[in-house]
């Protein structure tokens, strides 16, 4: 069986014109409860450098393909909103969303969380958001960011947008008090800080671990001035309007994948050593629904 073809797309619609990856095919597959339409389309948000995310996603796609006997097409979307829109338009059967992205995917596309990344001891993994400044900065609290420039990742990101902005509000800062620069992603926000083009930047614990391990960031030269409460890791979701038999088969397949099959993506989410995927429900992400309500966020904020 060939490796599933992984597409990095600027628009999900363009990917529909491409042929499916090799694997079981024909009428029997197309009519199978585990292979609707002859393929499974799985979307992943662009939370990491594509050079790292693409091969990790390929491994997960291959493992799921073997479990379900159906070609799996993995698509790294352009941004958070593109993945929500793709699922809403029935162009994805499975989606891995950031926690806040899942909130809008639930509301707009009926996404149902079934699994997330577990630790080696079988517990749901979590991560934290953070705001960092250079070691020599006179900023020691979030309130002291007044009049400064803060690099955030992408609009709609849980740790790269919503939680840092909530921290600013909690510190008594109005939106106009801090010059926010959306860098385009977690790696880009970190780079803005290391290049000295901003006074502070969001760096979540996942990006911190990845960048430190790769040698692109030396924490000794910087200082963290704020850390969030733990955030439950990214949910793997299925589209809610699909056949219950398909959803059950996907859930069973995901929860029984070997840790090695999810370990590459897990490592990018700072889950090391990896465990199997663990069950999650909407209730797991209740704090994120509350966060969206507190900030008055809508799907327009996930762009």
């Amino acid at each position: 069986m060939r490796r599933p073809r992984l597409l990095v797309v600027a628009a999900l619609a363009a990917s529909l014109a491409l042929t499916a990856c090799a694997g079981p095919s024909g009428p029997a597959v197309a009519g199978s409860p585990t292979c609707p339409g002859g393929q499974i389309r799985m979307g992943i948000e662009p939370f990491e450098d594509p050079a790292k995310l693409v091969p990790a996603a390929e491994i997960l796609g291959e493992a799921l393909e073997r479990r379900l006997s159906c070609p799996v097409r993995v698509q790294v979307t352009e941004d958070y909103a593109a993945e929500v829109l793709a699922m809403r338009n029935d162009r994805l059967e499975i989606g891995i969303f950031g926690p806040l992205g899942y909130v809008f995917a639930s509301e707009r596309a009926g996404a149902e969380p079934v699994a997330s990344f577990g630790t080696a001891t079988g517990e749901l993994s979590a991560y934290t958001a953070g705001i960092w400044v250079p070691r020599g900065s006179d900023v020691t609290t979030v309130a002291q960011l007044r009049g400064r420039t803060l690099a955030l990742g992408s609009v709609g990101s849980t740790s790269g947008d919503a939680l840092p902005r909530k921290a600013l509000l909690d510190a008594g800062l109005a939106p106009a008090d801090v010059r926010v620069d959306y860098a385009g992603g977690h790696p880009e926000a970190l780079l803005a800080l290391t290049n000295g083009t901003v006074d502070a930047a969001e760096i979540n614990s996942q990006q911190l671990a990845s960048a430190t391990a790769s040698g692109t960031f030396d924490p000794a030269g910087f200082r963290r001035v704020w850390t969030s409460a733990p955030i439950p890791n990214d949910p793997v979701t299925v589209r809610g309007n699909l056949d219950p038999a398909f959803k059950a088969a996907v859930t069973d397949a995901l929860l029984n994948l070997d840790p090695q099959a999810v370990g590459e993506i897990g490592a990018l989410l700072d889950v090391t050593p990896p465990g199997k995927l663990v069950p999650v429900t909407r209730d797991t992400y209740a704090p994120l629904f509350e966060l969206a309500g507190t900030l008055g966020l809508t799907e327009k904020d996930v762009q």
Side-chain angles (χ1 to χ4, degrees):
M1 183 179 298
R2 284 167 45 194
R3 295 164 68 88
R5 179 179 301 161
L6 185 126
L7 305 174
V8 182
V9 292
L12 262 288
S15 70
L16 300 178
L18 299 178
T19 58
C21 59
S25 60
V29 167
S32 167
T34 64
C35 200
Q39 67 171 331
I40 296 170
R41 297 161 296 182
M42 181 169 68
I44 301 178
E45 66 183 31
F47 66 85
E48 181 55 272
D49 181 348
K52 299 177 182 178
L53 185 55
V54 167
E58 283 185 327
I59 293 172
L60 178 60
E62 289 173 354
L64 196 57
E65 178 173 302
R66 290 191 295 270
R67 280 275 179 180
L68 296 172
S69 297
C70 182
V72 174
R73 175 173 300 198
V74 184
Q75 304 169 7
V76 178
T77 61
E78 181 182 15
D79 54 29
Y80 300 91
E83 188 178 5
V84 174
L85 182 63
M87 183 168 278
R88 182 188 179 193
N89 291 339
D90 293 346
R91 292 172 177 167
L92 293 177
E93 285 71 49
I94 301 173
I96 302 178
F97 291 96
L100 188 60
Y102 155 66
V103 170
F104 299 112
S106 171
E107 296 174 344
R108 295 273 287 170
E112 299 177 3
V114 296
S116 187
F117 297 84
T119 67
T121 57
E123 299 175 341
L124 174 63
S125 62
Y127 66 106
T128 57
I131 294 176
W132 288 68
V133 298
R135 174 67 62 183
S137 172
D138 61 351
V139 173
T140 59
T141 67
V142 173
Q144 291 174 325
L145 289 174
R146 186 185 304 272
R148 311 294 180 106
T149 303
L150 170 65
L152 297 182
S154 301
V155 174
S157 169
T158 309
S159 60
D161 182 24
L163 283 171
R165 287 201 289 123
K166 177 66 163 51
L168 297 179
L169 292 177
D170 290 345
L173 298 174
D177 290 337
V178 179
R179 298 189 299 275
V180 170
D181 176 18
Y182 284 101
H186 298 298
E188 291 81 4
L190 182 148
L191 186 62
L193 181 65
T194 58
N195 285 344
T197 59
V198 294
D199 299 305
E202 67 84 10
I203 303 175
N204 71 18
S205 58
Q206 298 165 340
Q207 184 63 32
L208 174 64
S210 175
T212 301
S214 66
T216 58
F217 183 72
D218 180 5
F222 301 87
R223 184 163 31 84
R224 183 163 42 200
V225 297
W226 170 81
T227 307
S228 74
I231 309 160
N233 231 322
D234 296 13
V236 185
T237 72
V238 293
R239 201 173 75 234
N241 63 0
L242 291 166
D243 187 326
F246 173 76
K247 292 191 284 187
V250 169
T251 301
D252 180 72
L254 288 168
L255 295 179
N256 285 287
L257 292 177
D258 292 333
Q260 292 79 6
V262 298
E264 292 294 328
I265 286 187
L268 298 179
L269 296 171
D270 197 22
V271 185
T272 305
K276 286 188 173 184
L277 295 173
V278 297
V280 293
T281 67
R282 178 188 172 100
D283 289 345
T284 306
Y285 299 92
L288 283 307
F289 284 88
E290 295 172 6
L291 175 64
T294 299
L295 293 179
L297 302 178
T298 70
E299 68 276 3
K300 294 180 180 179
D301 296 296
V302 187
Q303 298 292 333

